[in-house]
Amino acid sequence: MTMTHIASLLLAPFRRLYGYYTTYHGHGRPLLKYIGIIGALTYLTFYLIRFTKPNPKPFDDIGLRLMVITLFTLLALRDHWPEKLRKYYLPYSYAALIVTMPFFNVYFSLERGGGVPSMSNCFIALSFLVMLTDWRNTIAMLVVGITAAASLFFSLHPGGRWPPDMLAQIPAYLIVLIGGGAFKLSEKQIDSEKSRLAAALAGSIAHEMRNPLSRISYALEKMQALLARPKVVPAGGRILETEQLDALARHLSDSEVAVRRGLQVISMTLDGVSNKPMDASSFRYLSAAEVVHKAIEEYGYDSDEDRDRVNVVVKDDFTFRGDETAYLFVLFNLVKNALFYSAAFPRTRITITVGGQQVRVHDTGPGIAPQVLKGLFEVFRSVGKAGGTGLGLAYCQRVMQAFGGSIQCTSALGEFTEFTMAFPPVSEQEREQHRLDTIAQARTALAGKRILIVEDDDLQRAMTRQKLGPIALTSELEEAPDGQSALRMLDERKFDIVLLDLRMPGLDGYAVAEKIRAGGANKDALIVAYSSEPAHLARYRATQSGMDHFVSKPCAQLPLLAALQHVTRRPFAAGATAAGRLAGRHILVADDSAFNRKAIAAHLRNAAAIVIEVEHGGAVLEQLHAQEGIHAVIVDLHMPGMDGLETARAIRSAREPWSGVPIVAMTARSDEPAVAAATAAGMNGFLVKPVDAMVLYDTLGRLMSGGSAVAQPAPVAQAAGTQGEQGLLNLQRLESYRRLGMLEELLNDYLPEMERLVVTLREAVEGADVQGSIAALHSLLGMSGEAGAQALYQHVRKLYVPLLEQGEWPTGHQWLPQLQALARRTEEALRAYCDQQTRSGTLS
């Protein structure tokens, strides 16, 4: 062990002790400055007062007192210290407090032989010292100061002794010390509670903002639908010009993007308040330069002058892995902070530099004081901005840490502030592996798909085909040179995906998409707009024409493959995203199983829908009577009391404004009689338990856009998706619950209820209660399917359907013990899965 290492070990406790002191006086707290002012004035005043009283031989401490007054004065002049010396202010203050408080007052008391004035001064000094630092450093300063004072006194006065009255006051001094420490602890607890309440308030605000933002998004969607009509006539009767329509469309599209990103960042804020880690499964490889340019274009500037203050310099682009929306909001926050001071500092300019695996945001604003920098990224720490929440920079740090990077700030008062975001490097090997993985995933996702490339430019068409070359072995690629040719080919054969250029002579891409959607064998084909038109206009018009996705030209190979792969996974075969379709919609979910309701509601809320949950048919009618604007009803067919079929008949026969609301049946049965009964009762759609989120979105999207849902769905195959625990669990479904933060509810709600239902089933069987057995199996079937317990679901379904349809008990005597054993194994597998997620830090 080297001497340096030994010295480091010996100094570690002192560094830790001093760290408590710097933390206490961090973030620009002015205590030391104010005590400097008070101390300098007080020590001078007390010296002068002494000579107003008769004292034949007062101890003249003028030399020491002038030194103490000087030390206090330097503390008071904190803001006037030279810049290069300010880093020494806190170490200086530590030494100054020892000299001015315990050392001077104890030494003065010893010189005077005790007495009431000396005791009073010691009490005052101790009280101030308790207020000025934490209890650890208070004790340390007292020990050092008293020891130094006693050493000096007894070296000058070998025969001296401690004044008795001073020793008698030791219990009182201890009470001051202990009482002050207890008060400080209580104050810390109050501050902690304030932070907790502030976090709760932030969470509450974010929750409350979701619904109005969702309503705004829904209103914007309706406005865009109106704009899609051939003419828009305002109140004055004048038809809007094409340029005005384009401008309005642009603003609406920008607003919709802002709302969508706002909803996402609210979710991120809620995760941050609850310390929920960011979901890295959604991270993808991003170009730093592209994201920075996008941030500068999308940021909401107050004026053109503010926009002109921002400049981007790309020295060399690099790739990082993260979430685009999260990082956009990091950049938004940093730009907003820099522009906040532009009115007071007109010379403010912002330069965002990309290069060297870093993004630096540099502004020439007022700068930040050094003592403030240390706590800059703490939650609820706002610097110099009235009304600031202090969440912004903490959010920035949280995002960068989730990306595996860091964010730091350097600043000089009156000169500049610079935030440096460092990203972990992505190696060539990792980039190549990412390319190969993307191609492999695209081949798998697009296997067997027939893709039609519609492009009038021969060179562009050839380049597009070349980019799609890696999937040509598993997919079928065909080409059309114009819109008319594309329609002829679509009339002749079935295509899965149409990659459609928008600007073509004769029949353009918008017209082609509208004709495809109008009918024919390919009306449900996935349509991807592929254009160099301005994104804000083209994306809006493409959506209104019935296209599913938009890709800007020029587009590199991997983003193009990712776009085609992405569109095959979209919730709707012919429409916008699930969030765009369901955002702000009021959907009523009725099921007697609380867990089933929670699962369906979680998927719907994830798409920004507003969900009302009830547990029986009567409550459905009550909700429809009580509130307007319910856009769809999802109802379980098998419920106690008024079941789903009776509920649907009651809605259709009510002759109320809501009698035509779309009704979706939800059941474990998908046979023809069940579908026919649901259709006869007036239901519009059919969901088979366990409900797949994509099917749920698709069904509701079709119905609420005026279409019709699939008449007869196939049963949901629990075996589809990744299996785990020897086929007991559907890991793909459990992963979706992990992303929704429902795994903990799965343990707390599902497992005890499953155990109860198995007991209920056993009691019903022992009592020969057929209806009780049907009810128990029904609930167990729904819960096992929703919870991803696929083996149990399949086993229960084999028992439930015959018992329900024929009223006959399963054959054999071992079916119930087999079900009980399978339920126990399922419970063990689910607990093991959740424990594994907890250990890996991903359980929410």
Side-chain angles (χ1 to χ4, degrees), residues 587-592 597 600 614-621 632-639 642-649 651-652 662-668 678 681-687 689 691 696 700 778:
I587 300 173
L588 182 57
V589 178
D591 194 316
D592 59 310
R597 292 198 308 272
I600 297 296
V614 297
E615 59 183 9
H616 53 77
V620 172
L621 298 176
V633 176
I634 301 174
V635 59
D636 183 29
L637 287 186
H638 191 83
M639 294 185 296
M642 181 182 285
D643 65 18
L645 295 176
E646 293 173 319
T647 303
R649 294 189 196 103
I651 293 173
R652 296 298 182 234
I663 307 174
V664 179
M666 186 167 55
T667 183
M683 295 186 172
N684 310 94
F686 209 89
L687 295 172
K689 293 182 180 179
V691 176
L696 172 68
L700 291 174
H778 168 76

Side-chain angles (χ1 to χ4, degrees), residues 35 42-43 46 68 72 97-106 109 117-133 138 141-142 146 173 176-177:
I35 198 63
T42 301
Y43 274 69
F46 277 21
V68 168
F72 274 128
L97 290 181
I98 293 175
V99 174
T100 58
M101 299 289 186
F103 172 80
F104 177 80
N105 285 283
V106 170
S109 297
S118 297
M119 298 303 100
S120 299
N121 290 343
C122 287
F123 271 115
I124 293 172
L126 178 59
S127 300
F128 273 112
L129 193 61
V130 167
M131 289 190 297
L132 286 170
T133 186
T138 298
M141 289 178 174
L142 286 173
I146 293 171
Y173 293 141
V176 172
L177 183 63

Side-chain angles (χ1 to χ4, degrees), residues 88 149 155 193 205 261-262 291 407-408 498 506 537 539 679 778 791:
Y88 301 113
S155 65
E193 180 66 12
I205 291 172
R261 292 197 186 280
V291 179
I407 180 171
Q408 295 179 334
V498 179
L537 289 179
R539 186 178 290 110
T679 304
H778 168 76

Side-chain angles (χ1 to χ4, degrees), residues 396-474:
C396 295
Q397 185 179 60
R398 178 172 168 266
V399 169
M400 289 304 302
Q401 289 174 346
F403 291 174
S406 64
I407 180 171
Q408 295 179 334
C409 180
T410 56
S411 185
L413 279 176
E415 296 182 22
F416 74 92
T417 297
E418 182 172 281
F419 288 90
T420 301
M421 289 158 285
F423 296 83
V426 179
S427 65
E428 286 295 332
Q429 181 180 0
E430 187 177 354
R431 273 196 289 268
E432 178 61 16
Q433 188 60 50
H434 166 60
R435 188 185 73 83
L436 295 176
D437 289 345
T438 302
I439 291 174
Q441 291 168 9
R443 281 176 176 156
T444 301
L446 301 172
K449 297 287 191 292
R450 184 175 291 134
I451 303 172
L452 178 61
I453 304 169
V454 185
E455 170 67 65
D456 66 303
D457 186 285
D458 295 339
L459 180 59
Q460 287 279 358
R461 195 166 64 251
M463 291 176 62
T464 301
R465 189 180 185 99
Q466 183 180 9
K467 291 173 185 176
L468 299 182
I471 64 170
L473 295 176
T474 58

Side-chain angles (χ1 to χ4, degrees), residues 181-194:
F183 173 79
K184 297 284 272 300
L185 178 61
S186 174
E187 183 183 37
K188 185 177 180 180
Q189 291 173 340
I190 291 172
D191 288 341
S192 176
E193 180 66 12
K194 286 180 179 179

Side-chain angles (χ1 to χ4, degrees), residues 198-212 266 270 389 391:
L201 175 62
S204 176
I205 291 172
H207 275 299
E208 293 301 324
M209 284 299 294
R210 268 182 168 164
N211 284 352
I266 282 175
L270 288 173
T389 64
L391 287 170

Side-chain angles (χ1 to χ4, degrees), residues 754 757-758 761 775-785 792 796 819:
M754 181 181 72
L757 286 171
V758 171
L761 176 63
L777 285 171
H778 168 76
S779 297
L780 191 56
L781 179 68
M783 291 187 67
S784 59
L792 183 61
V796 172
L819 186 147

Side-chain angles (χ1 to χ4, degrees), residues 450-454 477-495 522:
R450 184 175 291 134
I451 303 172
L452 178 61
I453 304 169
V454 185
L477 304 178
E478 297 196 31
E479 302 175 23
D482 54 58
Q484 291 290 359
S485 300
L487 291 176
R488 283 196 299 270
M489 295 177 70
L490 288 163
D491 285 337
E492 294 170 358
R493 60 189 308 185
K494 186 83 168 88
F495 285 90
N522 285 289

